[in-house]
Amino acid sequence: MSQETIHAAERAAGQVKTMSTYDPDSDQLHEECGIFGVWAPDRDVARLTYFGLRALQHRGQESAGIAVGDGGTVMVRKDLGLLDRVFSNADLSTLSGQLAVGHVRYGTAGAKSWEASQPHLSTINSVIIALAHNGTLVNTDELRRQLIELGVPFLSNSDSEVATKLIGYFTQRTGHLREGIRKTMELVRGGYAMTLINEQALYAFRDPHGIRPLVLGKLVDEGLDQADAASVSQLPSQDGAVTVDATTHVTRAGGWVVASETCALDIVGAEYVRDVRPGEILRISAEGLVSEQGVPAAEEPANCIFEQVYFARPDSIMNGKSVYACRYDMGRQLAHEEPVEADLVIGVPDSGLPPAEGYSHESGIPFGEGLIKNRYVGRTFIEPTQELRAMGVRMKLNPLRDNIEGKRLVVIDDSIVRGTTMVQLVKMLRNAGAKEIHIRINSPEVIWPCFYGIDTDVQSQLISANKTVDEICEYIGADSLAFLSVEGLLKVMPKGGYCDACFTGRYPVAIPESFGRDKFMEGFKPRNLDKPLHFDDDAVVEKYDDRSWEEKHGEA
């Protein structure tokens, strides 16, 4: 039985005829956040972090925060809003130190509140740590309950705070921050990339499937020897820790950066070294860069495929290929799979533009600009009136009538989630004089909920889980509609394993039954449901006498 036949049967069993009313921000995929970390004693780390986060602002617009360590303590400033709203020049001037972590958030787990904003602070005896997290943990309800029973207080219901408190709890038990991180990685499940600082060291670590992205970069002053930068890209081996000598003037005068995307390295002048490996822990301090495998990497990596489809900036590099090139090739493949006779190919800004160019190149249909984006519309705290909300798309896009009037259009967009935005878009193009509108989507249908960092964790919200392609086409008012196949998408992706659960229902990380309950529609068979983990008081006893790491590398 084909995958399409299976999906059709599942849709029929769980058919939902009505869709939600339009909300300007509800019909887009949102990724949880962007993170940035830097160790650079000779630099203004707060400002480096600020500009790194500026490059990652597309990953989260609800809150922003920066924590700085100065060798004696950790200071943090965070608040709701965009970076420019949260930080002034005076704020950054007060955050002086040698290392920092920063965060921009779009919340998928936890309330939209100051308490849920990051970095999260926690105290471990007299030591302060600050953690920034990208992704979603699926088994934190049980872990939070157990921590509360042990007397650990919480300020929010976010999964990120659970991770922070777990690290603090196990660090107190073992006396070593590295062991606290390792034990937490053994317990939590989901997709995550995290950066953490105490007063003197920067840590970075990633889930064993590598679902959420995290890259390592090097700050190198001009004119200094860069020989060790090349050697680091070859390290570490999978079975042992490797230390880079911190006495060389490259490490001392330069520094290290970790970030969600390479575009954040570019803006601060850092050279890309490599991706942080699945399950890896990096520790960066005055001793240099130390790496070890915190938990075993999964047999197959599962990078989030929607990074290349939508989330990441087109100028970022992922798995050795630019995001722009990936999207361009998606458009070329889409033209092969779903051709149509038309006069003009246009893309929905911004992520729809590269695949529109690719579709045009492959089909021979001219590419043109048909939609103008208002570049100064971001997330706002000022609620629009109902009349303005009904206009929806016009707040962000406006049709270029001179280009589209009387023409048969191929309109390329990255995805259809709930469908309400596309209804508005098609209607707007019709009113501007388009003769025909053929919608082409450069990703497969989003049929299954995501539990690893995208805010689509309730399947009934997804139009492709409710309707067939023909029904969606009728609902949005287009002349035709087609999606890129899963096979076609994977064909143009760079080498590496990917999580495509939102298209196929194949979840790489088991979902606890309590977390997945009521998230799937009737007739859809949930994949990978599991029981939550429990940690006992003796959970870390086996590490009490293990001092080998500290003997080699010093205390955390």
Side-chain angles (χ1 to χ4, degrees):
M1 186 180 294
S2 71
Q3 192 70 31
E4 178 58 31
T5 303
I6 294 170
H7 292 336
E10 289 170 329
R11 290 189 190 95
Q15 190 82 10
V16 175
K17 295 293 185 182
T18 60
M19 301 302 294
S20 59
T21 57
Y22 182 75
D23 182 312
D25 287 314
S26 69
D27 195 29
Q28 297 181 15
L29 291 171
H30 292 287
E31 211 271 350
E32 187 170 2
C33 63
I35 58 176
F36 186 90
V38 57
W39 183 89
D42 298 331
R43 308 289 186 99
D44 186 340
V45 293
R47 281 181 171 76
L48 281 176
T49 303
Y50 173 84
F51 285 107
L53 293 177
R54 282 289 295 267
L56 300 172
Q57 184 77 85
H58 60 285
R59 300 183 73 91
Q61 298 90 43
E62 286 185 357
S63 66
I66 296 173
V68 174
D70 63 1
T73 189
V74 174
M75 299 172 289
V76 65
R77 172 164 175 74
K78 59 180 181 177
D79 208 341
L80 299 176
L82 300 173
L83 275 163
D84 286 345
R85 179 189 177 101
V86 174
F87 292 99
S88 67
N89 193 55
D91 294 327
L92 296 173
S93 296
T94 63
L95 295 172
S96 60
Q98 60 193 26
L99 68 164
V101 291
H103 189 271
V104 288
R105 181 177 194 263
Y106 180 89
T108 61
K112 298 173 177 64
S113 64
W114 184 91
E115 289 78 13
S117 61
Q118 299 185 40
H120 282 299
L121 290 181
S122 185
T123 56
I124 306 170
N125 299 325
S126 60
V127 176
I128 301 174
I129 63 170
L131 178 139
H133 166 213
N134 172 29
T136 295
L137 306 177
V138 300
N139 64 333
T140 52
D141 288 347
E142 176 65 15
L143 295 173
R144 181 188 290 107
R145 183 190 64 78
Q146 294 175 52
L147 286 169
I148 291 173
E149 290 177 355
L150 291 168
V152 177
F154 284 85
L155 295 175
S156 73
N157 65 340
S158 76
D159 57 344
S160 306
E161 188 178 11
V162 174
T164 308
K165 299 296 187 179
L166 277 172
I167 292 170
Y169 174 79
F170 286 114
T171 299
Q172 286 180 322
R173 295 294 305 273
T174 63
H176 305 291
L177 182 53
R178 184 265 320 190
E179 282 301 332
I181 294 171
R182 185 209 295 273
K183 191 61 195 177
T184 297
M185 293 174 72
E186 291 175 355
L187 287 171
V188 297
R189 298 289 184 268
Y192 62 86
M194 301 189 190
T195 57
L196 178 151
I197 60 169
N198 61 12
E199 295 94 330
Q200 298 179 340
L202 167 67
Y203 295 81
F205 44 103
R206 195 177 177 200
D207 71 81
H209 287 84
I211 297 174
R212 302 261 64 90
L214 193 61
V215 297
L216 172 69
K218 185 131 182 55
L219 291 164
V220 181
D221 286 347
E222 291 184 8
L224 294 179
D225 179 16
Q226 302 181 26
D228 71 331
S231 65
V232 174
S233 63
Q234 310 299 319
L235 302 174
S237 62
Q238 290 292 331
D239 56 355
V242 177
T243 303
V244 177
D245 183 6
T247 62
T248 65
H249 55 279
V250 173
T251 302
R252 185 173 61 250
W256 298 96
V257 174
V258 290
S260 295
E261 295 182 37
T262 61
C263 63
L265 306 183
D266 297 336
I267 199 172
V268 299
E271 297 176 357
Y272 170 79
V273 175
R274 61 173 174 84
D275 286 9
V276 177
R277 297 187 176 94
E280 182 182 23
I281 302 174
L282 295 180
R283 179 180 186 261
I284 303 168
S285 67
E287 298 175 337
L289 183 148
V290 180
S291 168
E292 67 171 310
Q293 198 66 27
V295 293
E299 291 185 8
E300 292 291 334
N303 300 278
C304 174
I305 204 166
F306 246 101
E307 291 287 346
Q308 276 92 342
V309 170
Y310 174 71
F311 293 131
R313 267 181 35 169
D315 51 332
S316 286
I317 306 294
M318 292 189 163
N319 287 338
K321 184 176 181 179
S322 79
V323 173
Y324 173 87
C326 279
R327 292 174 185 166
Y328 185 90
D329 288 346
M330 291 173 202
R332 295 185 64 181
Q333 181 67 24
L334 185 58
H336 276 294
E337 293 184 5
E338 302 293 346
V340 64
E341 291 186 6
D343 305 311
L344 186 70
V345 179
I346 67 172
V348 179
D350 286 311
S351 54
L353 296 177
E357 292 181 49
Y359 193 101
S360 170
H361 174 89
E362 203 65 26
S363 67
I365 302 171
F367 169 78
E369 195 166 20
L371 293 165
I372 303 301
K373 182 177 181 179
N374 183 352
R375 304 285 173 185
Y376 302 97
V377 174
R379 298 186 71 81
T380 176
F381 288 87
I382 301 174
E383 291 294 329
T385 64
Q386 183 58 41
E387 182 181 5
L388 288 173
R389 184 178 288 112
M391 286 192 257
V393 173
R394 288 189 180 275
M395 298 174 69
K396 296 182 178 180
L397 297 172
N398 204 36
L400 192 58
R401 182 180 290 269
D402 291 347
N403 273 7
I404 65 178
E405 189 170 14
K407 291 193 173 80
R408 299 171 297 172
L409 302 180
V410 180
V411 182
I412 309 293
D413 203 1
D414 55 77
S415 60
I416 297 180
V417 183
R418 297 168 181 87
T420 47
T421 290
M422 191 58 72
V423 170
Q424 298 280 333
L425 182 63
V426 171
K427 184 183 298 184
M428 184 172 66
L429 292 170
R430 294 271 190 217
N431 292 339
K435 184 179 179 181
E436 295 178 11
I437 300 172
H438 302 277
I439 304 298
R440 294 294 181 268
I441 305 298
N442 62 280
S443 69
E445 293 183 84
V446 179
I447 296 173
W448 296 87
C450 175
F451 301 108
Y452 308 135
I454 304 175
D455 65 340
T456 58
D457 63 349
V458 179
Q459 191 174 30
S460 60
Q461 299 174 345
L462 306 175
I463 192 171
S464 286
N466 291 273
K467 299 177 182 292
T468 65
V469 173
D470 289 342
E471 289 171 338
I472 298 171
C473 184
E474 181 180 359
Y475 175 78
I476 65 177
D479 292 282
S480 72
L481 168 67
F483 295 80
L484 184 62
S485 68
V486 175
E487 296 76 18
L489 177 59
L490 292 173
K491 181 179 179 180
V492 303
M493 296 292 287
K495 186 178 179 181
Y498 294 94
C499 174
D500 58 9
C502 52
F503 308 135
T504 65
R506 296 190 294 259
Y507 293 98
V509 179
I511 310 299
E513 186 177 359
S514 60
F515 192 87
R517 189 181 301 127
D518 301 326
K519 302 294 179 65
F520 296 92
M521 292 166 53
E522 183 180 353
F524 287 78
K525 295 181 180 180
R527 271 74 160 173
N528 286 3
L529 297 190
D530 200 4
K531 294 182 179 180
L533 292 173
H534 182 86
F535 64 89
D536 299 316
D537 283 344
D538 61 352
V540 293
V541 168
E542 71 273 11
K543 296 295 182 184
Y544 282 159
D545 298 325
D546 179 10
R547 305 284 297 175
S548 59
W549 194 90
E550 286 76 17
E551 289 172 359
K552 288 183 179 180
H553 311 300
E555 300 293 332

